[in-house]
Amino acid sequence: GLEQDILGARKEISLPADIAALVAGRDAARAAKNWAESDRLRKLLEEQGFKVVDTPQGTRVEKSRAV
């Protein structure tokens, strides 16, 4: 019902320009099947506090939760 829809909603965030550039570079590396570069950029994003999720619709980036 409605309660599930509200609880399941994801908050859209605006990515800083430097993070968006890393995501774009990673997408380009993946398109070129340059897996080493893709993995390197994923690690950089994670170090900056972002989680990268690859979906059939494209890359989704989420702010990592503080532990």
Side-chain angles (χ1 to χ4, degrees):
L2 181 59
E3 185 176 27
Q4 287 179 327
D5 293 340
I6 292 170
L7 294 175
R10 291 191 177 268
K11 180 181 170 194
E12 293 293 322
I13 59 170
S14 178
L15 295 176
D18 58 335
I19 299 300
L22 289 174
V23 173
R26 184 174 178 278
D27 286 345
R30 284 177 51 80
K33 299 189 187 309
N34 183 346
W35 309 123
E37 178 67 0
S38 173
D39 289 345
R40 184 186 76 81
L41 292 170
R42 175 190 290 267
K43 185 174 181 186
L44 284 175
L45 286 160
E46 289 173 349
E47 288 171 358
Q48 295 295 318
F50 291 88
K51 178 181 174 186
V52 178
V53 180
D54 295 313
T55 72
Q57 295 76 33
T59 303
R60 189 174 76 223
V61 178
E62 304 170 354
K63 187 76 173 152
S64 295
R65 294 180 186 201
V67 180

